[in-house]
């Protein structure tokens, strides 16, 4: 009897710009210092894309890398899902630009999703659903952010945390034992205001006043986000472990959203999983929101930290507040 269809991650890719913004550079821009940023966040530097680069350029580069690892061409894709809160434009979807830039034909459905830093996990969950039901064979799930375009470099509470980047994963239909074992997604819409961009959407369209009041930039209640991040990331991990009857000790690797080393440290303690088993790259890239998990996964794969048969837990949380998990057997 044939085993059930699963989606397996057959390729990963990433892209970060060459431009590096260090904590020392930030000392010259806002009232901050390397010691504060390092101690409170673990971040030392982040990448900033140059002015002519759009999110779709970074996403296309990451997707090409992922397709190459999967041994696939652009026309093998049935779907391109682009998770981003920094799209090229309000209209059309950034995924459509990615489709054009990688040279995929119209046999591919391309759309964006906005679940902030949890976006790539929402993307995996959607791709997994299409693949399991036989409606797609190969899906590109991309997380991309050009956060430097929506950061207020006069606001030290936010501008030190984030960076630009892209990560991509190719999910392919398979019938083996490996692949996506589960996904779980959550949102608490009562917390929309603790991490948001007030203006530039239908609720508050762009006007001279909104620009004057710097309302097109990210605003955040850092302490609240911190508190919910620790709780909900740990909860999401527990739900995923329970759903798969997997013990924390059986996890090979945790690929968590790279927001803050103190958040990850607290989550690791709550779960009883040593930080050694977490992929950590926030020191070099900061928080790249939707790109964070696929970028970290790609580094882990290319760095030889992922082996066949490994059990990998991905967890992420961001604006919404939205969060979730994906459990994967490699
Ligand atoms: N440099 C120096 N001082 C800073 C600063 C900076 N970049 N940012 C804030 N401060 C100051 C504050 O103004 C405050 O000063 P005060 O005591 O004189 O009022 C002091 O540092 C403490 O601020 P607080 O916000 O309590 O610090 P914190 O320990 O909570 O750390 C964050 C701030 C933002 C690092 C932390 O709350 C955090 O990481 N939150 C989660 C953010 C996040 O991950 N968001 C994305 C989720 S996807």
């Amino acid at each position: 009897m044939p085993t059930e269809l699963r989606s397996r991650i057959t390729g990963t890719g990433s892209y970060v710009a060459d431009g590096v913004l260090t904590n020392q550079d930030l000392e010259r821009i806002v009232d901050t210092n390397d010691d504060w940023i390092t101690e409170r966040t673990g971040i030392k530097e982040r990448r900033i894309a140059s002015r002519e680069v759009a999110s779709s350029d970074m996403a296309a580069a990451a997707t090409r890398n992922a397709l190459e690892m999967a041994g696939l061409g652009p026309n093998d894709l049935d779907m391109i899902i682009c998770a981003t809160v920094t799209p090229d434009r309000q209209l059309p979807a950034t995924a459509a630009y990615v489709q054009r830039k990688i040279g995929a034909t119209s046999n591919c459905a391309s759309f964006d999703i906005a679940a902030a830093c949890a976006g790539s996990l929402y993307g995996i969950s959607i791709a997994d659903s299409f693949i399991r039901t036989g409606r797609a064979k190969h899906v590109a799930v991309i997380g991309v952010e050009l956060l430097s375009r929506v950061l207020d470099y006069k606001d030290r509470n936010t501008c030190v945390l984030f960076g630009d980047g892209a990560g991509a994963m190719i999910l392919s239909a398979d019938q083996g034992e490996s692949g996506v074992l589960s996904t779980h997604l959550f949102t608490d819409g009562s917390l929309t205001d603790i991490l948001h961009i007030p203006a530039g959407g239908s609720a508050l369209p762009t006007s001279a006043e909104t620009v004057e009041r710097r309302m097109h930039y990210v605003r955040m209640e850092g302490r609240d986000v911190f508190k919910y991040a620790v709780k909900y990331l740990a909860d999401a991990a527990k739900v995923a472990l329970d759903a798969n009857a997997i013990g924390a000790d059986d996890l090979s690797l945790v690929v968590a959203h790279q927001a803050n080393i103190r958040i990850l440290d607290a989550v690791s303690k709550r779960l009883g999983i040593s930080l050694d088993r977490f992929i950590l790259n926030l020191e070099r890239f900061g928080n790249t929101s939707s790109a964070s998990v696929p970028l970290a996964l790609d580094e882990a794969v290319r760095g030889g930290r992922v082996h066949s048969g490994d059990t990998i837990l991905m967890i992420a949380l961001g604006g919404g507040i939205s969060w979730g998990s994906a459990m994967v057997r490699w």
Side-chain angles (χ1 to χ4, degrees), residues 262-313:
R262 291 189 299 135
I263 292 175
L264 296 184
D265 190 40
V267 170
S268 95
K269 289 197 170 87
R270 281 192 184 207
L271 296 174
I273 303 172
S274 150
L275 260 189
D276 297 348
R277 276 190 282 156
F278 283 62
I279 295 294
L280 298 175
N281 67 10
L282 59 86
E283 183 179 350
R284 287 174 290 127
F285 300 128
N287 179 344
T288 57
S289 189
S290 300
S292 168
V293 166
L295 178 57
L297 178 67
D298 185 49
E299 282 213 332
V301 170
R302 289 174 194 269
R305 282 193 70 180
V306 178
H307 309 99
S308 178
D310 278 359
T311 306
I312 300 172
L313 173 65

Side-chain angles (χ1 to χ4, degrees), residues 132-152:
R132 276 178 192 269
T133 50
R135 294 169 66 202
K137 202 166 168 208
H138 301 291
V139 180
V141 176
I142 309 159
V144 61
E145 300 295 358
L146 242 167
L147 289 161
S148 60
R149 305 277 155 84
V150 293
L151 288 177
D152 186 347

Side-chain angles (χ1 to χ4, degrees), residues 26 30-34 36-37 39-41 116-118 155-162 194-195 220-227 229 257-263 287 289 316-319 321-322:
L26 282 164
V30 282
D31 180 15
T32 190
N33 58 76
D34 176 42
W36 192 97
I37 302 172
E39 189 196 311
R40 304 282 178 126
T41 73
C117 308
D155 177 11
R156 66 180 184 174
N157 292 299
T158 52
C159 74
V160 303
L161 301 176
F162 299 95
I194 65 173
L195 181 49
M220 184 184 69
E221 302 297 333
R223 272 184 234 181
D224 287 342
V225 175
F226 191 101
K227 186 179 69 185
H257 174 45
Q258 306 288 304
N260 181 317
I261 191 65
R262 291 189 299 135
I263 292 175
N287 179 344
S289 189
L317 172 142
I321 294 293
S322 291

